[in-house]
Amino acid sequence: MGRTLIAGTGRGLPERVLSNADLEQMVDTSDSWIVERTGIRERRIIAKGQTSSDLAATAGLHACRKAGIDPATLDCIIVSTVTPDSPLPATAVHVQRKLGAGGCAAFDMAAACAGFIYGLSVGDAFIARGQFKRVLVVGVEVLSPVIDWEDRNTCVLFGDGAGAAVLVPGGDAAGDRGLWSTHLYADGTMADALGIPAGGTALPASQETVAQRLHYVKMNGREVFKHAVRNMSRAALTALEHNGLTITDVDTVLAHQANMRIVEGVAKQLALPLDKFFINLPKYGNTSSASIPIALDEALEAGRVKQGDLLLMTALGAGFSWGSAVVRL
Ligand code: UT7
């Protein structure tokens, strides 16, 4: 029955731009420090009242349109997010309602910055099993409410956004197009290196947790950096080996957009020139699980990638959780 195809992609980004110059007014930082250490120049921030499901629905609608399908005919909506509209119910059901896709399966999953690759893998498994024919996978994060805007170590890095892809069975006519493989990993011994300590069952919300600013992202940046370069590279190399490919077979790499120096480190490990990587980090910062699908949608729109191209995706985030995927578009 062929491989699972990415039939359409979309993105949903807030209009408001927060520049490095804006951040200079908020914390003790500078445009030159942020650009030099991260490559980020600006990021998008939601408007008051805007939610994860709003951005996700926009991304999903565009993905359905480009795939040429009516959202009402979706069989399943998978939303990868660590920033749901609320703890209950799943953000995916709000996306379903906003898309008018009533009745289909809809659920959230959390694998932080690796979430879109995990989502692709789960969606692909449903399709390969014959259970669903039209699966929408969305990566969405509204990180701005969980960022400590007084902490310069983290607030310069993240942004809000959503990206989506519609997955369908390729059929025999698709030839070697489609999702070739996904490789998924996690290391829970590193759970403390990046996370939001309070607001869950381990540390329920209280006046004390609020006073201690424990509802915000806390990160050991250097530790994340080290593991990101190492594990994103290893996962990418494993994917190539698994498919009997060499790095020269790859047209474009979509690496998680967290830090330009991480991407450069991965490029070095893969012995690839940087121009093989599609980069939109300067405009959006780190949008966690939305980063790869936003990049994919923009790369397609810009004609930087096209049907028939071989893509290698790799990402790492909180958990640590990480993974890679190989797709022939
Ligand atoms: O998706 C995964 C999510 N997370 C990541 O990808 C983050 C991975 N880590 C990183 O990207 C980098 O570790 C950072 C960008 C967070 C930090 O870069 P670094 O080169 O590792 O800097 P550092 O932590 O070693 O800090 C160097 C200095 C420190 O000052 P002292 O202690 O040397 O005086 C920091 O306090 O830079 C200081 N610093 C800043 N200075 C100006 C930290 N943040 C800032 C800032 N502006 N925004």
Side-chain angles (χ1 to χ4, degrees):
M1 59 172 256
R3 297 186 168 102
T4 295
L5 284 185
I6 295 181
T9 60
R11 60 186 188 274
L13 287 153
E15 279 176 20
R16 185 178 156 212
V17 173
L18 186 74
S19 68
N20 290 350
D22 295 328
L23 282 164
E24 285 176 349
Q25 308 303 312
M26 297 160 65
V27 287
D28 180 15
T29 191
S30 64
D31 174 57
S32 59
W33 191 96
I34 302 171
V35 172
E36 203 175 291
R37 299 290 183 117
T38 74
I40 300 165
R41 294 183 183 275
E42 56 189 41
R43 64 289 292 145
R44 300 295 180 92
I45 304 291
I46 48 154
K48 201 165 186 295
Q50 217 173 10
T51 61
S52 292
S53 64
D54 290 335
L55 299 182
T58 302
L61 186 62
H62 287 305
C64 287
R65 281 190 185 143
K66 288 186 203 160
I69 70 158
D70 179 348
T73 65
L74 287 170
D75 299 314
C76 178
I77 298 173
I78 302 171
V79 172
S80 161
T81 189
V82 292
T83 50
D85 285 13
S86 61
L88 194 70
T91 296
V93 302
H94 297 301
V95 176
Q96 185 209 55
R97 177 173 48 81
K98 288 171 185 177
L99 288 176
C104 74
F107 63 95
D108 290 1
M109 43 168 284
C113 305
F116 183 73
I117 292 177
Y118 269 68
L120 275 185
S121 191
V122 174
D124 176 46
F126 280 135
I127 287 174
R129 187 171 185 266
Q131 186 166 358
F132 297 132
K133 284 197 163 56
R134 293 176 166 191
V135 178
L136 177 68
V137 181
V138 188
V140 59
E141 303 297 352
V142 171
L143 291 158
S144 54
V146 295
I147 294 301
D148 185 345
W149 293 103
E150 293 178 15
D151 175 12
R152 68 176 185 173
N153 291 293
T154 51
C155 75
V156 302
L157 301 174
F158 298 98
D160 302 336
V166 172
L167 307 183
V168 299
D172 294 333
D176 73 348
R177 290 181 58 215
L179 188 58
W180 287 25
S181 66
T182 52
H183 287 83
L184 309 178
Y185 308 93
D187 178 3
T189 64
M190 298 306 296
D192 290 340
L194 174 52
I196 301 173
T201 53
L203 196 53
S206 69
Q207 281 180 345
E208 272 169 39
T209 60
V210 172
Q212 291 167 33
R213 308 180 77 76
L214 294 173
H215 300 270
Y216 295 127
V217 170
K218 309 282 178 204
M219 181 178 70
N220 179 339
R222 285 184 199 176
E223 205 59 41
V224 180
F225 191 103
K226 217 169 53 192
H227 284 80
V229 174
R230 186 191 304 149
N231 291 331
M232 283 166 62
S233 308
R234 278 187 191 160
L237 290 169
T238 302
L240 294 177
E241 195 183 332
H242 174 85
N243 291 295
L245 297 167
T246 63
I247 196 67
T248 51
D249 295 315
V250 174
D251 292 300
T252 299
V253 183
L254 297 180
H256 172 46
Q257 309 284 301
N259 183 320
M260 208 44 221
R261 289 187 297 139
I262 293 177
V263 179
E264 286 162 2
V266 172
K268 197 168 163 206
Q269 295 294 319
L270 298 181
L272 259 191
L274 207 51
D275 63 12
K276 281 273 183 182
F277 289 70
F278 180 79
I279 309 287
N280 60 3
L281 175 74
K283 293 192 293 183
Y284 304 126
N286 181 348
T287 57
S288 188
S289 65
S291 125
I292 287 187
I294 293 172
L296 176 58
D297 188 49
E298 286 200 341
L300 278 161
E301 204 169 274
R304 165 67 199 265
V305 301
K306 54 186 186 318
Q307 191 171 313
D309 280 5
L310 193 72
L311 301 190
L312 174 60
M313 303 176 181
T314 183
L316 175 139
F320 295 137
S321 50
W322 68 99
S324 61
V326 171
V327 185
R328 173 85 69 194
L329 280 179

